[in-house]
Amino acid sequence: MSVETDVVLYDSETAATLDYAPDGILQHLTTGPYTFETGATLPQLVIGYETWGTLNAEASNAVFIAHALTGDSHVARGASTEPGWWDVLVGPGKTVDTDRYFVVAANMIGGCSGSTGPASLDPTGVAWGSRFPFTTIKDSVRVEARLADELGIKTWHAVFGGSLGGARALEWAIEFPERVRHCVVVAATAEASAEQIAFAQVQTAAIRLDPDFAGGDYYSNDRVPSAGLGIARRLAHITYRTASELDVRFGRAAQGEERPISSHGRERGRYQVESYLDHQADKLAGRFDANSYLVLTEALMSHDVGRGHASLEAALERSLGVQFLVAAVDSDRLYWPEQSEQLAKMLPGDYKVEYISTPIGHDGFLTDIEQLSEPLREIFS
Amino acid sequence: MSVETDVVLYDSETAATLDYAPDGILQHLTTGPYTFETGATLPQLVIGYETWGTLNAEASNAVFIAHALTGDSHVARGASTEPGWWDVLVGPGKTVDTDRYFVVAANMIGGCSGSTGPASLDPTGVAWGSRFPFTTIKDSVRVEARLADELGIKTWHAVFGGSLGGARALEWAIEFPERVRHCVVVAATAEASAEQIAFAQVQTAAIRLDPDFAGGDYYSNDRVPSAGLGIARRLAHITYRTASELDVRFGRAAQGEERPISSHGRERGRYQVESYLDHQADKLAGRFDANSYLVLTEALMSHDVGRGHASLEAALERSLGVQFLVAAVDSDRLYWPEQSEQLAKMLPGDYKVEYISTPIGHDGFLTDIEQLSEPLREIFS
């Protein structure tokens, strides 16, 4: 194994005495072949990751933060110029205090933000595209375990994530319970529900319908399936928010001077909420690969910590030594609070669900995470 | 104007003495040019409609039933071999008793079930396709008023509908309050909300993305945009049901012997809920025109009884003489019960919302309409 970074060469043998790469700067671990949960193999994996703070001598202060579906490893700004998506939570003096904790975030395998994914090249120099293996959240965690090994982290003080990131955190506690002391699962469940699968199917179908998708092998073409990805994102975004939030923000207003009710055949202008969704779609299409969206969405559909174990209950029982914090967003209509309540009930231990209270829905796990600072202080004191 | 039917020639001059066409048999009224709300004109309109029972001498027993987005005029079986979509409600001895009431249902303009729509031919024999005018629910009602005129119905004893049909019923009470005694609005609102517009946008975008859509002019091509229409239907269907219903029925089960988690690259089998949505998509694509779905969905997005009036309040004030029954489905997450509560509050009069109680969501207006039989008896006694 070797580690590549633009900044500081990391050497696992002498980690304790070396400087780490600066906080919040993307680094790459190149590791060997990997056999996926389904049996497919890739000859080489690269894991893109970032760190903040310093691992202590006992390697007892490491925290793993798992990003959500279209998130990435840039949790906090650190030494970079780009803001992080959880700057409010992670940094010097913050709830997850990087003066005290060594925070690690890895880009999920199958994604497009630094870890091997469909846009990565095979050994002959051709993008994997449609040949990229079906990937699960268990794969994500097993790959992340390699990164932990390389960083000299036997046990995480905490694994922590929301949405798909919460599913990843939970899988850490099921797959490697001996390597996790605390597990924080926000707005996530033990398994994808029928409705979550249903919304995901619509999204994946829209991407595949785009003529520019070309069966997934579009990387050498002039066009990429932005339109299909945009439709997927529009739907996903609606499910991340709530009816009342959209109504308060947009109502039925027209966008600028546009006329949603046309006098010219069927060419019509847009409502504000359509323009807003168009913007969400364009933003994602500008930064995310459609194949990665497919791979990670199908990973989310496959989410079931019980798979490979005697039962869901048996799987959760494995995490007996882990201390959990289960949290939900009260207005979430994608990862319903009832599902978090079920998870808390099924975990070995006596847990009550902590709530983020916001009218905006699922995205509250991003926007209002500081509402959990009190229960989080018990973990990160 | 002339009326065409395969069964009985209807003559408006002598309607009272003629037999009507048999109950539940599609008839056609050909009427003259029509200028849409937006100003576009079609040279001729055909209205497909069905009737049940007999109009009494005073023409005081007529009931108009408005279908929903992909519904049609076949409300009840009558003399046909096909079951109707509200057989439980409409028929001899039923709550809407066709031995006592003369029930009329018309296919909405823009649809594909007997009234002029995008698949209809222009005077040169070419399908209107992309040239079909933008259509609103006010257009639907104004066209239906022509049918009422022709049938000799000055005043409806009741107008009645659910979902888009409820919006049509409400527009009747706003556009022609002097022609409506009772108005039954089930699972519908005074105006489309931001969220309803948002879900609709995703659906229309999916249809337009389908390469077989061909800009809306596909009628002489070999292929029609079934895939895009199918994606729209999948999403719509999810919004018509609930998370808990899907979970109870399907959970995470695989469809038959299919393997949703693939060991062969990204070719994977389906979850049961995916197969269910595929089935819903295929069923609709087999019976509904994609352009009609677009036209009617955009009509639904445009729904706002206040348009053309000083305000929403002023529009609703027009219906002062109409007696309303406002009903909602308690688990509806597309036409939220709160929206029905708002409508009931804003109507001139003292109304409380009646509830259909079911775990299945919006579709409860179809499956469980008999729960309203008690409040309906006050109208149809």
Side-chain angles (χ1 to χ4, degrees), chain B residues 23-67:
Chain B
D23 288 2
I25 300 294
L26 186 64
Q27 307 167 66
H28 297 91
L29 170 67
T30 302
T31 173
Y34 176 74
T35 300
F36 287 78
E37 187 183 351
T38 59
T41 296
L42 282 187
Q44 183 181 276
L45 282 191
V46 174
I47 308 170
Y49 69 100
E50 301 179 33
T51 67
W52 296 261
T54 307
L55 186 64
N56 63 18
E58 307 81 37
S60 65
N61 68 334
V63 174
F64 185 76
I65 295 188
H67 65 74

mmCIF file of all heavy atoms in Angstrom, chain B residues 23-67:
data_model
loop_
_atom_site.group_PDB
_atom_site.id
_atom_site.type_symbol
_atom_site.label_atom_id
_atom_site.label_comp_id
_atom_site.label_asym_id
_atom_site.label_seq_id
_atom_site.Cartn_x
_atom_site.Cartn_y
_atom_site.Cartn_z
ATOM 1 N N ASP B 23 -76.879 3.573 -19.819
ATOM 2 C CA ASP B 23 -75.970 3.987 -18.746
ATOM 3 C C ASP B 23 -74.546 3.506 -19.007
ATOM 4 O O ASP B 23 -74.323 2.346 -19.354
ATOM 5 C CB ASP B 23 -76.427 3.378 -17.416
ATOM 6 C CG ASP B 23 -77.691 4.041 -16.884
ATOM 7 O OD1 ASP B 23 -78.233 4.945 -17.566
ATOM 8 O OD2 ASP B 23 -78.123 3.644 -15.788
ATOM 9 N N GLY B 24 -73.601 4.405 -18.805
ATOM 10 C CA GLY B 24 -72.191 4.014 -18.822
ATOM 11 C C GLY B 24 -71.647 3.703 -20.198
ATOM 12 O O GLY B 24 -70.653 2.982 -20.325
ATOM 13 N N ILE B 25 -72.284 4.227 -21.239
ATOM 14 C CA ILE B 25 -71.795 4.030 -22.614
ATOM 15 C C ILE B 25 -71.271 5.380 -23.123
ATOM 16 O O ILE B 25 -71.953 6.392 -23.006
ATOM 17 C CB ILE B 25 -72.925 3.518 -23.534
ATOM 18 C CG1 ILE B 25 -73.466 2.180 -23.019
ATOM 19 C CG2 ILE B 25 -72.442 3.411 -24.983
ATOM 20 C CD1 ILE B 25 -72.487 1.026 -23.066
ATOM 21 N N LEU B 26 -70.066 5.353 -23.668
ATOM 22 C CA LEU B 26 -69.426 6.595 -24.102
ATOM 23 C C LEU B 26 -70.189 7.242 -25.251
ATOM 24 O O LEU B 26 -70.505 6.589 -26.251
ATOM 25 C CB LEU B 26 -67.984 6.303 -24.532
ATOM 26 C CG LEU B 26 -67.119 7.526 -24.875
ATOM 27 C CD1 LEU B 26 -66.900 8.414 -23.655
ATOM 28 C CD2 LEU B 26 -65.772 7.074 -25.457
ATOM 29 N N GLN B 27 -70.497 8.514 -25.099
ATOM 30 C CA GLN B 27 -71.150 9.306 -26.145
ATOM 31 C C GLN B 27 -70.243 10.497 -26.465
ATOM 32 O O GLN B 27 -69.339 10.816 -25.698
ATOM 33 C CB GLN B 27 -72.504 9.818 -25.651
ATOM 34 C CG GLN B 27 -73.411 8.723 -25.113
ATOM 35 C CD GLN B 27 -74.613 9.289 -24.354
ATOM 36 O OE1 GLN B 27 -75.467 9.928 -24.951
ATOM 37 N NE2 GLN B 27 -74.644 9.073 -23.056
ATOM 38 N N HIS B 28 -70.515 11.144 -27.577
ATOM 39 C CA HIS B 28 -69.672 12.280 -27.970
ATOM 40 C C HIS B 28 -70.525 13.467 -28.357
ATOM 41 O O HIS B 28 -71.456 13.331 -29.157
ATOM 42 C CB HIS B 28 -68.787 11.891 -29.159
ATOM 43 C CG HIS B 28 -67.829 10.802 -28.848
ATOM 44 N ND1 HIS B 28 -68.139 9.467 -29.037
ATOM 45 C CD2 HIS B 28 -66.577 10.837 -28.334
ATOM 46 C CE1 HIS B 28 -67.103 8.718 -28.657
ATOM 47 N NE2 HIS B 28 -66.143 9.525 -28.227
ATOM 48 N N LEU B 29 -70.193 14.606 -27.804
ATOM 49 C CA LEU B 29 -70.788 15.869 -28.213
ATOM 50 C C LEU B 29 -69.744 16.625 -29.033
ATOM 51 O O LEU B 29 -68.639 16.879 -28.551
ATOM 52 C CB LEU B 29 -71.167 16.699 -26.985
ATOM 53 C CG LEU B 29 -71.573 18.154 -27.275
ATOM 54 C CD1 LEU B 29 -72.875 18.209 -28.054
ATOM 55 C CD2 LEU B 29 -71.682 18.948 -25.977
ATOM 56 N N THR B 30 -70.115 16.942 -30.257
ATOM 57 C CA THR B 30 -69.219 17.761 -31.081
ATOM 58 C C THR B 30 -69.708 19.193 -31.000
ATOM 59 O O THR B 30 -70.869 19.477 -31.307
ATOM 60 C CB THR B 30 -69.231 17.272 -32.537
ATOM 61 O OG1 THR B 30 -68.828 15.901 -32.552
ATOM 62 C CG2 THR B 30 -68.253 18.085 -33.374
ATOM 63 N N THR B 31 -68.828 20.051 -30.531
ATOM 64 C CA THR B 31 -69.207 21.443 -30.346
ATOM 65 C C THR B 31 -68.288 22.311 -31.201
ATOM 66 O O THR B 31 -67.378 21.803 -31.858
ATOM 67 C CB THR B 31 -69.183 21.804 -28.839
ATOM 68 O OG1 THR B 31 -69.393 23.210 -28.716
ATOM 69 C CG2 THR B 31 -67.882 21.436 -28.197
ATOM 70 N N GLY B 32 -68.505 23.588 -31.220
ATOM 71 C CA GLY B 32 -67.789 24.457 -32.146
ATOM 72 C C GLY B 32 -66.410 24.849 -31.672
ATOM 73 O O GLY B 32 -65.815 24.171 -30.836
ATOM 74 N N PRO B 33 -65.877 25.931 -32.183
ATOM 75 C CA PRO B 33 -64.539 26.383 -31.789
ATOM 76 C C PRO B 33 -64.520 26.734 -30.306
ATOM 77 O O PRO B 33 -65.539 27.114 -29.725
ATOM 78 C CB PRO B 33 -64.306 27.623 -32.654
ATOM 79 C CG PRO B 33 -65.611 28.001 -33.234
ATOM 80 C CD PRO B 33 -66.494 26.809 -33.206
ATOM 81 N N TYR B 34 -63.367 26.602 -29.718
ATOM 82 C CA TYR B 34 -63.222 26.937 -28.298
ATOM 83 C C TYR B 34 -61.951 27.745 -28.106
ATOM 84 O O TYR B 34 -60.881 27.377 -28.602
ATOM 85 C CB TYR B 34 -63.172 25.679 -27.429
ATOM 86 C CG TYR B 34 -62.938 26.007 -25.975
ATOM 87 C CD1 TYR B 34 -63.957 26.561 -25.199
ATOM 88 C CD2 TYR B 34 -61.685 25.823 -25.379
ATOM 89 C CE1 TYR B 34 -63.751 26.906 -23.870
ATOM 90 C CE2 TYR B 34 -61.467 26.166 -24.055
ATOM 91 C CZ TYR B 34 -62.506 26.703 -23.309
ATOM 92 O OH TYR B 34 -62.308 27.063 -22.003
ATOM 93 N N THR B 35 -62.081 28.853 -27.399
ATOM 94 C CA THR B 35 -60.916 29.672 -27.070
ATOM 95 C C THR B 35 -60.524 29.390 -25.623
ATOM 96 O O THR B 35 -61.320 29.571 -24.704
ATOM 97 C CB THR B 35 -61.222 31.158 -27.266
ATOM 98 O OG1 THR B 35 -61.589 31.373 -28.633
ATOM 99 C CG2 THR B 35 -59.996 32.011 -26.944
ATOM 100 N N PHE B 36 -59.305 28.924 -25.450
ATOM 101 C CA PHE B 36 -58.814 28.524 -24.133
ATOM 102 C C PHE B 36 -58.558 29.748 -23.255
ATOM 103 O O PHE B 36 -58.474 30.873 -23.758
ATOM 104 C CB PHE B 36 -57.525 27.701 -24.284
ATOM 105 C CG PHE B 36 -57.769 26.315 -24.809
ATOM 106 C CD1 PHE B 36 -58.015 26.099 -26.163
ATOM 107 C CD2 PHE B 36 -57.763 25.229 -23.948
ATOM 108 C CE1 PHE B 36 -58.249 24.817 -26.647
ATOM 109 C CE2 PHE B 36 -57.994 23.946 -24.434
ATOM 110 C CZ PHE B 36 -58.240 23.741 -25.787
ATOM 111 N N GLU B 37 -58.404 29.494 -21.945
ATOM 112 C CA GLU B 37 -58.153 30.576 -20.986
ATOM 113 C C GLU B 37 -56.962 31.427 -21.414
ATOM 114 O O GLU B 37 -56.922 32.632 -21.180
ATOM 115 C CB GLU B 37 -57.914 29.978 -19.587
ATOM 116 C CG GLU B 37 -57.810 31.031 -18.492
ATOM 117 C CD GLU B 37 -57.490 30.441 -17.117
ATOM 118 O OE1 GLU B 37 -57.514 29.204 -16.954
ATOM 119 O OE2 GLU B 37 -57.200 31.243 -16.204
ATOM 120 N N THR B 38 -55.970 30.791 -22.032
ATOM 121 C CA THR B 38 -54.766 31.536 -22.409
ATOM 122 C C THR B 38 -54.904 32.258 -23.740
ATOM 123 O O THR B 38 -53.991 32.964 -24.150
ATOM 124 C CB THR B 38 -53.570 30.571 -22.537
ATOM 125 O OG1 THR B 38 -53.905 29.604 -23.518
ATOM 126 C CG2 THR B 38 -53.250 29.916 -21.224
ATOM 127 N N GLY B 39 -56.000 32.038 -24.463
ATOM 128 C CA GLY B 39 -56.204 32.740 -25.717
ATOM 129 C C GLY B 39 -56.082 31.882 -26.958
ATOM 130 O O GLY B 39 -56.510 32.289 -28.036
ATOM 131 N N ALA B 40 -55.487 30.710 -26.829
ATOM 132 C CA ALA B 40 -55.378 29.812 -27.987
ATOM 133 C C ALA B 40 -56.773 29.289 -28.354
ATOM 134 O O ALA B 40 -57.653 29.197 -27.503
ATOM 135 C CB ALA B 40 -54.448 28.655 -27.662
ATOM 136 N N THR B 41 -56.946 28.952 -29.626
ATOM 137 C CA THR B 41 -58.257 28.483 -30.079
ATOM 138 C C THR B 41 -58.117 27.145 -30.803
ATOM 139 O O THR B 41 -57.147 26.924 -31.522
ATOM 140 C CB THR B 41 -58.869 29.521 -31.048
ATOM 141 O OG1 THR B 41 -59.093 30.729 -30.328
ATOM 142 C CG2 THR B 41 -60.192 29.030 -31.620
ATOM 143 N N LEU B 42 -59.074 26.261 -30.579
ATOM 144 C CA LEU B 42 -59.201 25.070 -31.415
ATOM 145 C C LEU B 42 -60.479 25.225 -32.231
ATOM 146 O O LEU B 42 -61.481 25.742 -31.737
ATOM 147 C CB LEU B 42 -59.276 23.796 -30.563
ATOM 148 C CG LEU B 42 -57.975 23.255 -29.975
ATOM 149 C CD1 LEU B 42 -58.224 21.896 -29.318
ATOM 150 C CD2 LEU B 42 -56.872 23.137 -31.015
ATOM 151 N N PRO B 43 -60.445 24.774 -33.489
ATOM 152 C CA PRO B 43 -61.602 25.000 -34.356
ATOM 153 C C PRO B 43 -62.818 24.147 -33.992
ATOM 154 O O PRO B 43 -63.931 24.465 -34.372
ATOM 155 C CB PRO B 43 -61.074 24.625 -35.745
ATOM 156 C CG PRO B 43 -59.930 23.709 -35.496
ATOM 157 C CD PRO B 43 -59.317 24.144 -34.204
ATOM 158 N N GLN B 44 -62.580 23.083 -33.260
ATOM 159 C CA GLN B 44 -63.691 22.191 -32.924
ATOM 160 C C GLN B 44 -63.309 21.348 -31.720
ATOM 161 O O GLN B 44 -62.154 20.930 -31.583
ATOM 162 C CB GLN B 44 -64.001 21.268 -34.101
ATOM 163 C CG GLN B 44 -65.192 20.351 -33.855
ATOM 164 C CD GLN B 44 -65.445 19.440 -35.032
ATOM 165 O OE1 GLN B 44 -66.094 19.805 -35.994
ATOM 166 N NE2 GLN B 44 -64.898 18.250 -34.967
ATOM 167 N N LEU B 45 -64.260 21.126 -30.862
ATOM 168 C CA LEU B 45 -64.026 20.266 -29.697
ATOM 169 C C LEU B 45 -65.031 19.124 -29.702
ATOM 170 O O LEU B 45 -66.201 19.327 -30.005
ATOM 171 C CB LEU B 45 -64.243 21.032 -28.395
ATOM 172 C CG LEU B 45 -63.185 21.986 -27.879
ATOM 173 C CD1 LEU B 45 -63.558 22.387 -26.451
ATOM 174 C CD2 LEU B 45 -61.804 21.363 -27.910
ATOM 175 N N VAL B 46 -64.541 17.949 -29.302
ATOM 176 C CA VAL B 46 -65.435 16.827 -29.025
ATOM 177 C C VAL B 46 -65.355 16.546 -27.530
ATOM 178 O O VAL B 46 -64.256 16.534 -26.960
ATOM 179 C CB VAL B 46 -65.030 15.584 -29.837
ATOM 180 C CG1 VAL B 46 -65.869 14.379 -29.421
ATOM 181 C CG2 VAL B 46 -65.162 15.856 -31.332
ATOM 182 N N ILE B 47 -66.486 16.383 -26.914
ATOM 183 C CA ILE B 47 -66.515 16.028 -25.494
ATOM 184 C C ILE B 47 -67.050 14.606 -25.378
ATOM 185 O O ILE B 47 -68.180 14.320 -25.790
ATOM 186 C CB ILE B 47 -67.435 16.973 -24.684
ATOM 187 C CG1 ILE B 47 -67.053 18.441 -24.949
ATOM 188 C CG2 ILE B 47 -67.359 16.649 -23.196
ATOM 189 C CD1 ILE B 47 -68.069 19.430 -24.382
ATOM 190 N N GLY B 48 -66.231 13.722 -24.849
ATOM 191 C CA GLY B 48 -66.661 12.351 -24.576
ATOM 192 C C GLY B 48 -67.290 12.301 -23.199
ATOM 193 O O GLY B 48 -66.700 12.799 -22.241
ATOM 194 N N TYR B 49 -68.459 11.711 -23.105
ATOM 195 C CA TYR B 49 -69.142 11.712 -21.799
ATOM 196 C C TYR B 49 -70.018 10.468 -21.669
ATOM 197 O O TYR B 49 -70.293 9.776 -22.650
ATOM 198 C CB TYR B 49 -69.978 12.994 -21.629
ATOM 199 C CG TYR B 49 -71.180 13.068 -22.532
ATOM 200 C CD1 TYR B 49 -72.455 12.752 -22.065
ATOM 201 C CD2 TYR B 49 -71.037 13.440 -23.871
ATOM 202 C CE1 TYR B 49 -73.559 12.801 -22.902
ATOM 203 C CE2 TYR B 49 -72.135 13.485 -24.714
ATOM 204 C CZ TYR B 49 -73.392 13.167 -24.231
ATOM 205 O OH TYR B 49 -74.468 13.198 -25.060
ATOM 206 N N GLU B 50 -70.411 10.205 -20.447
ATOM 207 C CA GLU B 50 -71.337 9.106 -20.180
ATOM 208 C C GLU B 50 -72.420 9.605 -19.243
ATOM 209 O O GLU B 50 -72.215 10.588 -18.516
ATOM 210 C CB GLU B 50 -70.596 7.910 -19.535
ATOM 211 C CG GLU B 50 -69.465 7.383 -20.418
ATOM 212 C CD GLU B 50 -68.696 6.205 -19.798
ATOM 213 O OE1 GLU B 50 -69.299 5.393 -19.070
ATOM 214 O OE2 GLU B 50 -67.485 6.130 -20.071
ATOM 215 N N THR B 51 -73.549 8.951 -19.280
ATOM 216 C CA THR B 51 -74.628 9.288 -18.345
ATOM 217 C C THR B 51 -75.189 8.007 -17.731
ATOM 218 O O THR B 51 -75.004 6.906 -18.267
ATOM 219 C CB THR B 51 -75.783 10.043 -19.046
ATOM 220 O OG1 THR B 51 -76.429 9.162 -19.976
ATOM 221 C CG2 THR B 51 -75.276 11.286 -19.780
ATOM 222 N N TRP B 52 -75.879 8.201 -16.618
ATOM 223 C CA TRP B 52 -76.564 7.111 -15.913
ATOM 224 C C TRP B 52 -77.894 7.669 -15.418
ATOM 225 O O TRP B 52 -77.936 8.791 -14.886
ATOM 226 C CB TRP B 52 -75.748 6.631 -14.703
ATOM 227 C CG TRP B 52 -74.424 6.028 -15.062
ATOM 228 C CD1 TRP B 52 -74.128 4.698 -15.176
ATOM 229 C CD2 TRP B 52 -73.222 6.739 -15.363
ATOM 230 N NE1 TRP B 52 -72.813 4.531 -15.530
ATOM 231 C CE2 TRP B 52 -72.232 5.768 -15.663
ATOM 232 C CE3 TRP B 52 -72.877 8.087 -15.444
ATOM 233 C CZ2 TRP B 52 -70.926 6.109 -16.005
ATOM 234 C CZ3 TRP B 52 -71.584 8.445 -15.782
ATOM 235 C CH2 TRP B 52 -70.637 7.454 -16.061
ATOM 236 N N GLY B 53 -78.945 6.927 -15.562
ATOM 237 C CA GLY B 53 -80.255 7.362 -15.081
ATOM 238 C C GLY B 53 -80.909 8.326 -16.057
ATOM 239 O O GLY B 53 -80.511 8.445 -17.220
ATOM 240 N N THR B 54 -81.924 9.011 -15.569
ATOM 241 C CA THR B 54 -82.763 9.849 -16.435
ATOM 242 C C THR B 54 -82.934 11.240 -15.834
ATOM 243 O O THR B 54 -83.192 11.376 -14.633
ATOM 244 C CB THR B 54 -84.161 9.193 -16.575
ATOM 245 O OG1 THR B 54 -84.007 7.837 -17.009
ATOM 246 C CG2 THR B 54 -85.014 9.957 -17.573
ATOM 247 N N LEU B 55 -82.757 12.225 -16.686
ATOM 248 C CA LEU B 55 -82.991 13.601 -16.243
ATOM 249 C C LEU B 55 -84.490 13.801 -16.049
ATOM 250 O O LEU B 55 -85.288 13.474 -16.943
ATOM 251 C CB LEU B 55 -82.455 14.567 -17.309
ATOM 252 C CG LEU B 55 -82.472 16.063 -16.953
ATOM 253 C CD1 LEU B 55 -81.549 16.355 -15.766
ATOM 254 C CD2 LEU B 55 -82.077 16.909 -18.166
ATOM 255 N N ASN B 56 -84.896 14.306 -14.887
ATOM 256 C CA ASN B 56 -86.330 14.497 -14.656
ATOM 257 C C ASN B 56 -86.847 15.725 -15.408
ATOM 258 O O ASN B 56 -86.073 16.494 -15.992
ATOM 259 C CB ASN B 56 -86.645 14.553 -13.152
ATOM 260 C CG ASN B 56 -85.976 15.737 -12.455
ATOM 261 O OD1 ASN B 56 -85.556 16.692 -13.107
ATOM 262 N ND2 ASN B 56 -85.879 15.657 -11.139
ATOM 263 N N ALA B 57 -88.138 15.903 -15.416
ATOM 264 C CA ALA B 57 -88.774 16.941 -16.238
ATOM 265 C C ALA B 57 -88.291 18.331 -15.843
ATOM 266 O O ALA B 57 -88.137 19.211 -16.688
ATOM 267 C CB ALA B 57 -90.292 16.849 -16.120
ATOM 268 N N GLU B 58 -88.028 18.521 -14.542
ATOM 269 C CA GLU B 58 -87.548 19.840 -14.081
ATOM 270 C C GLU B 58 -86.049 19.987 -14.266
ATOM 271 O O GLU B 58 -85.496 21.042 -13.927
ATOM 272 C CB GLU B 58 -87.889 20.054 -12.601
ATOM 273 C CG GLU B 58 -89.354 19.852 -12.233
ATOM 274 C CD GLU B 58 -89.683 18.375 -12.066
ATOM 275 O OE1 GLU B 58 -88.824 17.618 -11.538
ATOM 276 O OE2 GLU B 58 -90.776 17.954 -12.500
ATOM 277 N N ALA B 59 -85.393 18.950 -14.738
ATOM 278 C CA ALA B 59 -83.936 18.950 -14.890
ATOM 279 C C ALA B 59 -83.271 19.337 -13.565
ATOM 280 O O ALA B 59 -82.292 20.077 -13.533
ATOM 281 C CB ALA B 59 -83.499 19.890 -16.013
ATOM 282 N N SER B 60 -83.816 18.794 -12.479
ATOM 283 C CA SER B 60 -83.316 19.182 -11.153
ATOM 284 C C SER B 60 -82.513 18.074 -10.479
ATOM 285 O O SER B 60 -82.081 18.224 -9.343
ATOM 286 C CB SER B 60 -84.496 19.555 -10.249
ATOM 287 O OG SER B 60 -85.303 18.401 -10.029
ATOM 288 N N ASN B 61 -82.350 16.951 -11.167
ATOM 289 C CA ASN B 61 -81.697 15.800 -10.502
ATOM 290 C C ASN B 61 -80.356 15.430 -11.145
ATOM 291 O O ASN B 61 -79.924 14.290 -11.082
ATOM 292 C CB ASN B 61 -82.645 14.591 -10.514
ATOM 293 C CG ASN B 61 -82.859 14.047 -11.928
ATOM 294 O OD1 ASN B 61 -82.723 14.795 -12.906
ATOM 295 N ND2 ASN B 61 -83.178 12.760 -12.038
ATOM 296 N N ALA B 62 -79.697 16.406 -11.759
ATOM 297 C CA ALA B 62 -78.454 16.098 -12.476
ATOM 298 C C ALA B 62 -77.240 16.227 -11.549
ATOM 299 O O ALA B 62 -77.123 17.176 -10.770
ATOM 300 C CB ALA B 62 -78.290 17.030 -13.669
ATOM 301 N N VAL B 63 -76.354 15.276 -11.661
ATOM 302 C CA VAL B 63 -75.131 15.234 -10.848
ATOM 303 C C VAL B 63 -73.943 15.110 -11.795
ATOM 304 O O VAL B 63 -73.925 14.227 -12.659
ATOM 305 C CB VAL B 63 -75.157 14.033 -9.874
ATOM 306 C CG1 VAL B 63 -73.833 13.898 -9.139
ATOM 307 C CG2 VAL B 63 -76.325 14.161 -8.902
ATOM 308 N N PHE B 64 -72.964 15.989 -11.612
ATOM 309 C CA PHE B 64 -71.763 15.910 -12.436
ATOM 310 C C PHE B 64 -70.638 15.286 -11.612
ATOM 311 O O PHE B 64 -70.326 15.761 -10.517
ATOM 312 C CB PHE B 64 -71.342 17.302 -12.912
ATOM 313 C CG PHE B 64 -70.168 17.263 -13.856
ATOM 314 C CD1 PHE B 64 -70.341 16.866 -15.172
ATOM 315 C CD2 PHE B 64 -68.894 17.606 -13.431
ATOM 316 C CE1 PHE B 64 -69.267 16.813 -16.051
ATOM 317 C CE2 PHE B 64 -67.810 17.545 -14.301
ATOM 318 C CZ PHE B 64 -68.006 17.150 -15.620
ATOM 319 N N ILE B 65 -70.018 14.248 -12.152
ATOM 320 C CA ILE B 65 -68.882 13.614 -11.477
ATOM 321 C C ILE B 65 -67.632 13.821 -12.327
ATOM 322 O O ILE B 65 -67.622 13.513 -13.525
ATOM 323 C CB ILE B 65 -69.151 12.122 -11.205
ATOM 324 C CG1 ILE B 65 -70.317 12.031 -10.192
ATOM 325 C CG2 ILE B 65 -67.894 11.434 -10.671
ATOM 326 C CD1 ILE B 65 -70.588 10.656 -9.667
ATOM 327 N N ALA B 66 -66.607 14.374 -11.689
ATOM 328 C CA ALA B 66 -65.375 14.737 -12.392
ATOM 329 C C ALA B 66 -64.278 13.733 -12.040
ATOM 330 O O ALA B 66 -64.022 13.468 -10.864
ATOM 331 C CB ALA B 66 -64.953 16.151 -11.992
ATOM 332 N N HIS B 67 -63.642 13.204 -13.072
ATOM 333 C CA HIS B 67 -62.586 12.206 -12.838
ATOM 334 C C HIS B 67 -61.260 12.879 -12.497
ATOM 335 O O HIS B 67 -61.062 14.069 -12.718
ATOM 336 C CB HIS B 67 -62.433 11.293 -14.058
ATOM 337 C CG HIS B 67 -61.960 11.981 -15.294
ATOM 338 N ND1 HIS B 67 -60.657 12.391 -15.467
ATOM 339 C CD2 HIS B 67 -62.607 12.338 -16.435
ATOM 340 C CE1 HIS B 67 -60.527 12.956 -16.661
ATOM 341 N NE2 HIS B 67 -61.694 12.945 -17.265
#
